[in-house]
């Protein structure tokens, strides 16, 4: 007995081997981060593996752009792919930090819950939240993945996607959460066109009964939409006739955060 746990219905040995490979690949990146550069022999020695194993790991990482090779010296160093991943993480950290005063001011002014969300494939993920005085019993949205077609922030992301990418999302079955959820692609296209025209997205009991929200786009330095600021609350406070006013105020806050992120300079 080796003590290794096998997954029900699966191959425990192959699972363990895959995890070990991932662990070694991460160790390679850590070695290169510490050393600056290293050869196959040096890396194999630190990992305690045969040179052929180290070479295979380096090959996979090189194909992914995570390491690169100095051809004339046979040494490896961290590649541009690591910068890409680090940059994505840094952007999320930066917008969370820069968004605190903007969201706090908006939450205090309106008394409602304010969130910052980023796009994550087919969902919007809330990465920062501020609660207003009227939102003491509001839900905690932090860290939640929410559907694009049924949320104000999600509509902002869909509206600003490249047409081909947007159509691929609309071609998928759209889940109905309430009787107000828009599940037809033609109707949703019209809604997304309105988002662009008025500068904010809105939902009225489309994700949950009794819940309304507005959201506006936050732009990066190059003008691309990097996040969305949303204001949400109960429909008896966020009435349909108030949504344009709230949407406009949210758009102003989003513009301020966009400025803080370098847009317009």
């Amino acid at each position: 007995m080796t003590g290794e746990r096998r997954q029900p219905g699966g191959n425990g040995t192959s699972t363990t081997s895959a995890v070990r490979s991932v662990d070694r690949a991460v160790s390679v990146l850590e070695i290169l981060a510490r050393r600056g550069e290293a050869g196959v022999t040096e890396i194999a020695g630190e990992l305690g593996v045969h040179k052929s194993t180290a070479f295979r790991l380096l090959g996979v990482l090189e194909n992914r752009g995570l390491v690169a090779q100095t051809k004339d010296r046979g040494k490896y160093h961290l590649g541009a792919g690591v910068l890409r991943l680090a940059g994505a993480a840094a952007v999320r950290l930066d917008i969370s930090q820069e968004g605190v005063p903007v969201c706090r001011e908006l939450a205090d002014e309106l008394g409602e819950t304010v969130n910052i969300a980023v796009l994550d494939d087919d969902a919007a993920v809330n990465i920062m939240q501020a609660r207003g005085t009227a939102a003491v019993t509001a839900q905690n949205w932090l860290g939640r993945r929410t559907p694009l077609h049924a949320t104000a922030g999600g509509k902002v992301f869909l509206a600003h996607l490249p047409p081909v990418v947007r159509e691929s999302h609309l071609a998928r079955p759209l889940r109905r959460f309430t009787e107000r959820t828009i599940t037809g692609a033609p109707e949703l296209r019209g809604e997304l066109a309105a988002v662009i025209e008025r500068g904010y997205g809105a939902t009225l009991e489309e994700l949950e009964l009794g819940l309304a929200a507005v959201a506006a786009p936050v732009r990066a330095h190059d003008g691309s939409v990097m996040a969305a600021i949303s204001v949400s609350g109960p429909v008896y406070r966020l009435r349909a006739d108030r949504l344009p006013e709230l949407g406009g105020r949210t758009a102003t806050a989003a513009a301020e955060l966009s400025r803080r992120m370098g847009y317009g300079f």
Side-chain angles (χ1 to χ4, degrees), residues 41-126:
T41 302
E42 297 167 290
I43 292 172
E46 284 214 33
L47 291 178
V49 300
H50 193 275
K51 284 177 60 176
S52 62
T53 300
F55 188 76
R56 285 196 299 272
L57 288 170
L58 287 163
V60 172
L61 293 171
E62 188 174 17
N63 286 338
R64 292 284 187 166
L66 297 177
V67 305
Q69 187 176 177
T70 307
K71 301 299 182 183
D72 57 338
R73 291 168 33 201
K75 300 280 190 176
Y76 288 85
H77 55 84
L78 294 177
V82 172
L83 296 176
R84 183 183 68 248
L85 296 177
V91 164
R92 291 196 179 195
L93 290 174
D94 286 346
I95 196 169
S96 293
Q97 294 167 358
E98 293 292 341
V100 169
V102 176
C103 291
R104 184 70 268 159
E105 180 182 352
L106 189 61
D108 288 344
E109 177 186 338
L110 301 179
E112 305 295 350
T113 299
V114 178
N115 281 281
I116 294 178
V118 294
L119 180 64
D120 186 16
D121 190 22
D122 60 349
V125 179
N126 295 297

Side-chain angles (χ1 to χ4, degrees), residues 238-254:
L238 273 65
R239 304 182 309 273
D241 62 328
R242 286 195 66 206
L243 295 187
E245 170 203 344
L246 296 172
R249 180 62 187 88
T250 303
T252 299

Side-chain angles (χ1 to χ4, degrees), residues 20-31 47 57 61:
R20 184 165 55 243
S21 295
V22 171
D23 182 69
R24 287 172 174 171
V26 172
S27 295
V28 170
L29 297 177
E30 291 175 338
I31 291 168
L47 291 178
L57 288 170
L61 293 171

Side-chain angles (χ1 to χ4, degrees), residues 187-209:
E187 185 180 357
L188 189 53
R189 286 191 193 96
E191 177 73 7
L192 299 181
V195 171
I196 297 294
E197 180 179 353
R198 68 194 178 205
Y200 67 89
T203 55
L204 195 63
E205 298 189 291
E206 294 175 39
L207 179 64
E208 295 181 5
L209 292 176

Side-chain angles (χ1 to χ4, degrees), residues 123-148:
V125 179
N126 295 297
I127 62 171
M128 188 267 166
Q129 180 173 270
R131 294 190 182 188
T133 54
V136 176
T137 60
Q139 295 186 45
N140 181 10
W141 296 95
L142 196 60
R144 283 184 57 177
R145 292 173 59 85
T146 55
L148 299 181

